[in-house]
Amino acid sequence: MESPIAIAYDAQGLVPVVVQDWRSGEVLTLAYANAEAIARTRATGELHLWSRSRGELWHKGATSGNTQAVRALRLDCDGDALLALVEPAGPACHTGARTCFFSGDLEPPAPHEVLPGLERTLIARQRERPEGSYTVTLLDDPALIGAKVEEEAEEVARAAREETDDRVDNEAADVLYHLLVLLRSRGRTLADVAAVLDGRRPREGSPS
């Protein structure tokens, strides 16, 4: 969590903190921190902030249990804004919403929100098991979901060879949906796959 750029606190000794979901990239909230809150965050690994309304240090989730494990703290180029990448243990908003940004222009969702949203829908289907759900049928049949991934992969390959860009987009969407269902059936997530890809990424100074 160390940075060569010093935090530039404002006249009140505060710095704005944008809180972002480590796994999905979705923005969860905007808050403020002082030097003590940053020190407590670094020492504990859980997000600490400064409550301007109460005028006191604030351990996020201390009362509700919805703590946020901090995976990284990043500063902007001027050092006067902080980005906290967190793994939330529950809703980020005091209203019980997953994110504080649940009003305004919500449709269409931003591209980076689509796959995390689909993943949450699959988790809900697995938990709630609505009657007649195609997703539940796939989750209950490992052989079927494996066959569907193979089928959809062949179809997108054929579309890439012979069909329009629109068909490629649609067949690729089918692949992604079925692949996410397969991952869900094994208790795996997009973040697990992303970690593997990150491990394969060329590091600075290494051959590509």
Side-chain angles (χ1 to χ4, degrees), residues 52-144:
R52 295 182 300 167
S53 60
R54 299 191 304 270
E56 64 183 16
L57 195 68
W58 168 31
H59 177 193
K60 174 64 176 171
T63 302
S64 66
N66 300 325
T67 56
Q68 296 180 342
V70 177
R71 295 297 303 270
L73 291 177
R74 298 176 182 171
L75 282 166
D76 79 343
C77 56
D78 296 318
D80 58 2
L82 195 64
L83 177 67
L85 295 164
V86 305
E87 289 185 312
C93 186
H94 74 281
T95 64
R98 182 180 53 82
T99 169
C100 291
F101 297 96
F102 57 82
S103 61
D105 300 326
L106 303 180
E107 295 293 337
H112 78 275
E113 296 174 316
V114 173
L115 289 180
L118 174 57
E119 193 168 52
R120 287 192 294 271
T121 297
L122 298 181
I123 292 170
R125 294 290 187 274
Q126 188 176 46
R127 180 180 64 249
E128 298 164 4
R129 306 187 60 79
E131 185 176 353
S133 167
Y134 175 59
T135 296
V136 172
T137 299
L138 293 175
L139 288 169
D140 287 347
D141 192 335
L144 176 60

Side-chain angles (χ1 to χ4, degrees), residues 17 25 33 40 52 56 63 66 70 95-96 98 109 111 124 133 155 162 164 169 173 176 193 197 202 204:
V17 181
R40 291 296 300 159
R52 295 182 300 167
E56 64 183 16
T63 302
N66 300 325
V70 177
T95 64
R98 182 180 53 82
S133 167
E155 289 182 6
E162 306 169 3
T164 64
D169 293 345
L176 289 173
V193 178
L197 288 173
E204 185 176 350

Side-chain angles (χ1 to χ4, degrees), residues 181-188:
V181 176
L182 184 148
L183 290 172
R184 184 70 247 150
S185 73
R186 292 294 301 268
R188 311 308 296 158

